[in-house]
């Protein structure tokens, strides 16, 4: 019989509680929240399964499990999320980085592999900074600018740059800007990467409470995504150097039409790329 305060008993109890509250990944979340609290790797929980939690640890864990039972995302409870080759700070002023966005970063890094020229790069709607900081980490000689309309988001991106790129963070620029509005007009980019808001407001009802109740709606929803994204693409073109590239994560139902329109509007090349689940997730354009 396990002691009721042991890691194993508390995990089981938390898992059961979260299941009762219909949290889909109950066991995994119970493990992540405990491992993070105890500063252990998740696998290490099982090596230490008989370890007893102190009163303080138990209370802190209970609080975390209660938060999760109210659909608060695990990443906001631990304050971090692994993305590409780093772990990013997150909070409710930034979107929790998604695996699709890791695919976007990977694509860019592969596409620019052979390109030795130093690139000037803009990560538009940077949020946590996950795209731009991951690119800078992979290509230290790139000149990276992160922009966001939200001051709180930009503060989080700054913290992430300091943590992930302590040596290079001073060479990263941060700009508070509503899309291109406050980006100095003389700045020209070789690459613009963006994961802008793209979900139609009307899809709100179909989404998980985790997202709706906690993630920033500003980073997710638009009244009219088509109109917004068309405008964004158009403005991006005027800020790119000749031959410059534009990479955007977007709504699969819009990606093909956005590419077709971009070509009609003078972009030299354009293609839709699929994500790992086979959806038309990315728009890739060349000026
Ligand atoms: N660039 C961030 C991300 O990809 C934030 C995107 C956003 O706020 N729409 O997660």
């Amino acid at each position: 019989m396990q002691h009721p305060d042991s890691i194993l008993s508390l995990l089981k109890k938390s898992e059961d509680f979260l299941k009762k509250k219909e949290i889909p990944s109950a066991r995994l979340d119970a493990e992540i929240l405990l491992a993070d609290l105890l500063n252990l790797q998740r696998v290490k929980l099982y090596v230490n399964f008989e370890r007893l939690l102190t009163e303080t640890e138990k209370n802190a864990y209970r609080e975390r499990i209660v938060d999760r039972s109210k659909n608060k995302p695990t990443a906001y409870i631990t304050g971090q999320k692994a993305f590409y080759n780093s772990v990013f700070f997150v909070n409710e002023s930034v979107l929790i980085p998604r695996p699709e966005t890791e695919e976007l970063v990977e694509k860019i890094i592969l596409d620019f592999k052979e390109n030795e020229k130093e690139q000037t790069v803009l990560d538009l709607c940077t949020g946590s900074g996950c795209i731009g900081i991951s690119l800078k980490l992979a290509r230290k000689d790139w000149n990276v600018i992160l922009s966001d309309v939200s001051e709180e988001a930009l503060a989080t991106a700054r913290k992430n740059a300091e943590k992930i790129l302590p040596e290079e963070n001073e060479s990263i620029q941060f700009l508070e800007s509503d899309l291109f509005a406050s980006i100095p007009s003389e700045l020209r980019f070789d690459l613009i990467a963006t994961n802008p808001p793209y979900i139609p407001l009307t899809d709100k009802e179909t989404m998980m409470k985790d997202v709706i109740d906690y993630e920033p709606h500003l980073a997710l929803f638009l009244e009219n995504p088509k109109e917004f994204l068309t405008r964004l693409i158009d403005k991006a073109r005027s800020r790119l150097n000749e031959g410059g590239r534009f990479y955007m994560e977007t709504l699969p139902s819009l990606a093909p039409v956005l590419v077709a329109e971009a070509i009609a509007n003078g972009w030299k090349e354009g293609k839709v790329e699929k994500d790992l689940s086979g959806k038309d997730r990315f728009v890739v354009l060349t000026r």
Side-chain angles (χ1 to χ4, degrees), residues 11 14-19 23-31:
L11 276 178
S14 304
E15 178 190 359
D16 292 345
F17 178 70
L18 292 179
K19 271 195 182 141
I23 300 296
S25 46
R27 180 70 188 192
L28 178 65
D29 292 351
E31 288 179 4

Side-chain angles (χ1 to χ4, degrees), residues 46-110:
Y46 292 95
V47 185
N48 293 293
F49 69 92
E50 287 182 312
R51 185 190 139 179
L52 305 186
L53 267 65
T54 65
E55 212 47 42
T56 319
E57 287 169 341
K58 257 188 354 191
N59 289 337
Y61 188 43
R62 186 178 309 116
E63 206 173 299
R64 287 179 160 214
I65 294 295
V66 169
D67 278 353
R68 183 67 193 113
S69 76
K70 294 178 187 155
N71 295 95
K72 184 166 183 171
T74 307
Y76 287 149
I77 303 175
T78 62
Q80 55 184 17
K81 177 75 183 174
F83 177 89
Y84 207 64
N85 288 325
S86 317
V87 177
F88 285 78
F89 293 122
V90 292
N91 55 56
E92 287 170 49
S93 63
V94 299
L95 208 67
I96 300 168
R98 305 292 205 269
E100 290 86 344
T101 314
E102 292 181 305
E103 290 181 52
L104 181 73
V105 169
E106 177 78 2
K107 259 179 220 310
I108 296 171
I109 290 171
L110 290 176

Side-chain angles (χ1 to χ4, degrees), residues 139-206:
R139 299 293 295 268
K140 298 265 168 68
D141 58 334
W142 283 8
N143 200 351
V144 174
I145 295 153
L146 308 182
S147 79
D148 204 285
V149 67
S150 147
E151 192 185 336
E152 292 83 21
L154 223 47
T156 307
R158 222 181 263 275
K159 252 179 74 183
N160 278 318
E162 279 162 19
K163 178 177 81 142
I164 296 164
L165 290 162
E167 308 285 324
E168 288 82 15
N169 83 81
E170 284 179 22
S171 69
I172 298 180
Q173 278 186 66
F174 299 84
L175 291 174
E176 190 179 327
S177 177
D178 186 358
L179 296 184
F180 291 98
S182 312
I183 295 182
S185 55
E186 69 280 6
L187 268 182
R188 286 290 173 279
F189 303 98
D190 301 304
L191 164 64
I192 296 174
T194 183
N195 175 23
Y198 59 73
I199 302 169
L201 259 177
T202 46
D203 283 7
K204 232 185 201 175
E205 294 107 75
T206 67

